[in-house]
Amino acid sequence: SQKIEQNSEALNIQEGKTATLTCNYTNYSPAYLQWYRQDPGRGPVFLLLIRENEKEKRKERLKVTFDTTLKQSLFHITASQPADSATYLCALDQAGNKLTFGGGTRVLVKP
Amino acid sequence: EPEVTQTPSHQVTQMGQEVILRCVPISNHLYFYWYRQILGQKVEFLVSFYNNEISEKSEIFDDQFSVERPDGSNFTLKIRSTKLEDSAMYFCASSSNRDTLENTFGSGTRLTVV
């Protein structure tokens, strides 16, 4: 069966450190993988997209890697700040018409 | 920055009633979506819409649901005969480009069926 797994345990991290989140998937062949941020009671906000033929993508303090052999993406927040506290969702796109989301990982950055 | 606007922010309805959730996508976007998120669960795809017709729909999107783009700006989700299990956050999203699927989501409508 198809699965997208993110660490369901909250990630507590000290301000200034790097947060690393994992997204693993099985029985998918995504063309793209996307990362979104979701705050409580709000809709997801797009952060980064990485294509299947790309290994790494960066945007400001964010970095995403994509390993289609391991079927895994890593999401890094460097120099984390309390304002980075949120739930981070990975989403796979296979068919070009819809996103399939993981369950998200909550990040709490402590000052 | 352009936004996807959803109304109402919260809707309470009696079981068996019909509800219409409204969305105004970003004006130059061509692809429109509805997703839902039951409390504490994943965001789930419901339906995608392009060129005035449904492109794809999930198993959740049965005959109880319908979508419409009645004019050039609004995109609606109708749920007929609501059930308790329809209680969820419903998110509208839009994208300009099918190939990248960088979605802009609205803030959602919290639907509570009692």
Side-chain angles (χ1 to χ4, degrees):
Chain A
S1 62
Q2 295 180 319
K3 282 186 186 177
I4 303 171
E5 293 180 327
Q6 295 185 252
N7 193 343
S8 58
E9 288 185 20
L11 179 63
N12 292 297
I13 192 163
Q14 202 65 36
E15 183 176 5
K17 301 293 186 183
T18 296
T20 298
L21 285 64
T22 305
C23 176
N24 295 296
Y25 60 92
T26 53
N27 295 320
Y28 282 101
S29 297
Y32 308 97
L33 189 145
Q34 303 187 28
W35 284 87
Y36 287 78
R37 169 186 172 136
Q38 187 175 29
D39 291 286
R42 309 287 292 179
V45 175
F46 172 79
L47 296 175
L48 278 169
L49 176 152
I50 188 164
R51 292 174 171 78
E52 60 178 336
N53 60 352
E54 296 176 320
K55 296 292 185 188
E56 184 179 297
K57 206 77 167 284
R58 291 175 185 260
K59 179 182 175 183
E60 297 173 351
R61 294 184 294 110
L62 307 179
K63 185 178 86 171
V64 171
T65 63
F66 193 13
D67 189 325
T68 55
T69 302
L70 290 180
K71 297 188 184 297
Q72 181 181 78
S73 175
L74 298 179
F75 178 81
H76 306 270
I77 308 171
T78 59
S80 58
Q81 303 168 359
D84 296 327
S85 298
T87 296
Y88 291 86
L89 312 175
C90 75
L92 303 185
D93 161 35
Q94 281 189 289
N97 256 322
K98 68 178 186 182
L99 295 175
T100 304
F101 282 87
T105 299
R106 195 157 62 93
V107 173
L108 179 60
V109 181
K110 297 180 179 177
Chain B
E1 187 158 335
E3 288 183 342
V4 173
T5 304
Q6 289 188 244
T7 55
S9 56
H10 191 188
Q11 172 99 42
V12 181
T13 189
Q14 295 274 343
M15 190 169 55
Q17 295 296 304
E18 175 183 287
V19 294
I20 297 176
L21 309 183
R22 303 182 190 278
C23 171
V24 179
I26 294 174
S27 60
N28 63 347
H29 282 187
L30 301 175
Y31 299 88
F32 313 112
Y33 312 88
W34 284 100
Y35 290 79
R36 81 172 185 189
Q37 187 174 31
I38 295 170
L39 187 63
Q41 297 189 23
K42 296 181 180 183
V43 176
E44 300 175 289
F45 170 79
L46 292 178
V47 67
S48 59
F49 192 87
Y50 170 70
N51 202 24
N52 283 321
E53 61 182 24
I54 291 173
S55 306
E56 189 169 350
K57 57 184 181 179
S58 70
E59 291 177 355
I60 304 167
F61 195 89
D62 59 21
D63 292 343
Q64 181 195 9
F65 294 89
S66 62
V67 288
E68 194 177 36
R69 189 157 161 80
D71 53 43
S73 60
N74 291 286
F75 179 50
T76 61
L77 174 69
K78 182 189 290 185
I79 310 175
R80 284 181 282 275
S81 190
T82 49
K83 307 170 195 166
L84 294 176
E85 54 264 37
D86 294 328
S87 296
M89 280 288 279
Y90 287 81
F91 295 111
C92 173
S94 68
S95 67
S96 60
N97 184 333
R98 175 196 163 120
D99 289 333
T100 63
L101 268 196
E102 177 184 325
N103 280 210
T104 302
F105 283 78
S107 290
T109 293
R110 179 172 297 285
L111 178 65
T112 303
V113 183
V114 296

